[in-house]
Amino acid sequence: MKNVETAYQLLHSALKNVFQKNFQMEVSDSEIQIQKTRKEFEGDLTVVTFPWVKKLGKSPEAVGQEIGEGLQKEISSIERFNVVKGFLNLHFNDAFWGNQFQNVTHLDNFGLAPANSKPRVMVEYASPNTNKPLHLGHLRNIFLGYSVSEIFKANGHSVTKVQVINDRGIHICKSMIAWMESGLNETPESSGMKGDKLVGKYYVEYDKKFKGQVADLMASGLSKEDAEAQAPIALGAREMLLKWEDKDPETLALWSKMNGWVYDGFDVTYKTMGVDFDKLYYESDTYILGKDEVMKGLENGVFFKKEDGSIWIDLTGEGLDEKVVLRKDGTAMYITQDIGTAMLRFRDYPDASSLVYTVGNEQDYHFKVLFKILKKLGLEQAEKCFHLSYGMVELPEGKMKSREGTVVDADDIMAEMKQVAKEVAEEQGKLEGMSETEKDHLHHIIGMSALKYFLLRVDPKKNMLFDPKESIDFNGNTGPFIQYGYVRTQAILRKVEGELSELNYTGELHETERQLIKHLLDLPAAFDDATNTYNPSVLAAYTYDLVRDFNSFYQQCAILREPNNDLRVFRLALTKQVGEVVKKTMNVLGIEMPERM
RNA sequence: GGCAUUGUAGCUCAACUGGAUAGAGCAUCGCACUACGGAUGCGAAGGUUUGGGGUUCGAAUCCCUACAGUGUCACCA
């Protein structure tokens, strides 16, 4: 069992009965609107009566009154109700909520669906180029993709995390040619640099040289275009790409050596992030497959060939354009590769029902086209493929530009967060008796929680702003705030270990207790919402509110000091449940909970 | 220019998908408590939801329009 029968469900069916009995009417599900009662009114749940006002030919107040009385007969736990305008506010008694809570404590895995009870979903995220290090934008991508994977798992799906590594193409050749021309023979070992940083350095080097050469050529009278086409280093890069495609052994050796450095660097970064992958795809493998698929599609009439030999698809019938899928020289492009990768993935995982692509919204159009193509090629799962499109992370001065040096490096920002966590923790001075490695781990957990929460609490669809100067907060609506709330629950529970007996309390509830219970009961709905909308921010908001409710409760109700033992046990059980739920939801966001901080 | 997308407190974000008096955090000001862990709680102030029309019992949300930001419109990825 994932959940107890909710108050919503109860009300829902009771409403149907009321309409049968009082008005001899059937009501459709869509007519029934139940929402939480707003704070300024008295009640727990509110039924909106407007949809029926016309039909019944009565005033909203009269309809509300009548339904309210009917509902009271159906559900004895409805202690009282009031009608304000067309809103029927229902107040359930304390016993009802006490009971609901007790039912939850008996569940094994409240809020979660049984593992692997639903079809497999593949989630692609990260998918970096191999010519430069990861930056803040990647962090949003990676945390988002990881979290969505975990959300699907929590909802019972089998999940395979994949990425496709863009390991070939002109951009890698640029780093390679710059490295060769430098003649320094630098390696990560010799330079002491992280592999991805080293390769990134040569990418920047390339750009510098290129610009210098272009400037020189222009000074000697060439047009900008000609200069760019004739810059020696650009020619070198292109030549290298051709050699690569010809499988020139030396070029291939250099290529795999430098890519290897990058992978080593990425692995370190992924590890710090706390993310992983089940299966990697390399563009250098899949682009050939893509070509095959295009050729097949050409035979089947999905694609057509233009006079110059390039291959196209006509999507004008679907409101899109014509699109090239294979160059006239027969080489693969981005979308060719994507077609191949998709086909290969569904071949590798025939039980997968869909594939989620975590890719920035600048590629919205690309994925529209891709999914149409996949469908035309006869891939059944094409309709269920989903582009998890997310907005850019902007800096105060605008978009990040790697060439202008305005990127926020992933490793740097993570290290910085950890450093801040360390400073705050030392200031607090609550960690005596902890070993240095434990402390180090704790600082890491806290720093990462600030960063992850910061990036995940925003609706993925939207662009968001990151201000390095103000950096990331540790107070208020933040990861560390939630961690602190969790730590507090654990601090309390540690003192009563083994003391938790059966729940026996049936008395009145404090307002903050009712609030807390109601919030806890919303967990399954929050998970559903997050799954349906591919949106971790739903869970971030849910958890933040829960912790606030708990803090409120904690401030106003004695737990350990409560003299009435039944009530004390009840409050301890509440505390425990809050801790478990927070840990669960944060785990899905990839955020670890410390026991002390 | 076409298409897509966004515009909510000084700043960063919410708003149960059309519901009641638009909510949080940060920043500002004030208060609480021998603290079960203060990385706390409570409160004040802060809004013509970019402007203008429309749809209806009811609009930040849907439609039209103007303005502003962003993305995209490559045989780049």
Side-chain angles (χ1 to χ4, degrees), chain A residues 2 118 155 523-533:
Chain A
K2 180 181 175 182
K118 291 183 195 156
N155 230 283
L523 178 67
F527 265 120
D528 286 347
D529 193 6
T531 312
N532 295 334
T533 56

Side-chain angles (χ1 to χ4, degrees), chain A residues 478-493 543 546-548 550-551 554 575 578-579 582 593-595 597:
Chain A
T478 66
F481 172 89
I482 290 170
Q483 288 177 316
Y484 185 78
Y486 175 81
V487 165
R488 176 183 268 163
T489 63
Q490 300 315 106
I492 295 169
L493 293 168
T543 311
L546 182 69
V547 171
R548 280 177 65 218
F550 176 75
N551 285 342
Y554 168 86
T575 305
V578 168
V582 168
M593 289 295 115
E595 296 303 305
M597 69 189 280

Side-chain angles (χ1 to χ4, degrees), chain A residues 461-510:
Chain A
K461 287 194 295 286
K462 295 191 178 172
N463 287 1
M464 64 179 294
L465 191 106
F466 174 78
D467 188 342
K469 266 174 272 157
E470 296 190 8
S471 195
I472 292 174
D473 227 307
F474 281 54
N475 300 310
N477 188 357
T478 66
F481 172 89
I482 290 170
Q483 288 177 316
Y484 185 78
Y486 175 81
V487 165
R488 176 183 268 163
T489 63
Q490 300 315 106
I492 295 169
L493 293 168
R494 261 198 302 275
K495 298 194 172 150
V496 293
E497 251 170 304
E499 244 189 85
L500 284 174
S501 42
E502 261 308 287
L503 273 180
N504 232 337
Y505 181 73
T506 51
E508 275 182 31
L509 295 179
H510 190 270

Side-chain angles (χ1 to χ4, degrees), chain A residues 493-593:
Chain A
L493 293 168
R494 261 198 302 275
K495 298 194 172 150
V496 293
E497 251 170 304
E499 244 189 85
L500 284 174
S501 42
E502 261 308 287
L503 273 180
N504 232 337
Y505 181 73
T506 51
E508 275 182 31
L509 295 179
H510 190 270
E511 204 190 301
T512 56
E513 291 172 320
R514 287 175 69 96
Q515 183 56 35
L516 201 48
I517 289 172
K518 284 193 271 182
H519 211 311
L520 282 169
L521 290 165
D522 281 339
L523 178 67
F527 265 120
D528 286 347
D529 193 6
T531 312
N532 295 334
T533 56
Y534 301 82
N535 185 355
S537 80
V538 170
L539 288 174
Y542 170 84
T543 311
Y544 173 62
D545 285 339
L546 182 69
V547 171
R548 280 177 65 218
D549 284 345
F550 176 75
N551 285 342
S552 241
F553 155 75
Y554 168 86
Q555 206 77 211
Q556 293 188 53
C557 298
I559 302 171
L560 291 171
R561 294 180 312 211
E562 170 56 42
N564 174 339
N565 192 54
D566 285 343
L567 182 52
R568 182 169 178 267
V569 169
F570 173 77
R571 286 182 175 164
L572 283 167
L574 257 181
T575 305
K576 186 172 171 220
Q577 193 60 231
V578 168
E580 283 174 10
V581 168
V582 168
K583 194 168 190 172
K584 241 180 261 182
T585 53
M586 287 295 102
N587 182 38
V588 163
L589 297 189
I591 297 175
E592 263 185 85
M593 289 295 115

Side-chain angles (χ1 to χ4, degrees), chain A residues 134 142-143 194 263-277 411 414 441 444 448 452 590 592:
Chain A
L134 304 175
I142 291 167
F143 294 153
K194 217 163 142 270
Y263 299 148
D264 290 344
F266 283 172
D267 281 346
V268 171
T269 306
Y270 290 145
K271 204 164 174 222
T272 313
M273 290 182 191
V275 301
D276 54 12
F277 301 90
D411 294 317
M414 289 193 290
H441 179 62
H444 171 247
M448 289 306 290
K452 288 185 179 180
E592 263 185 85

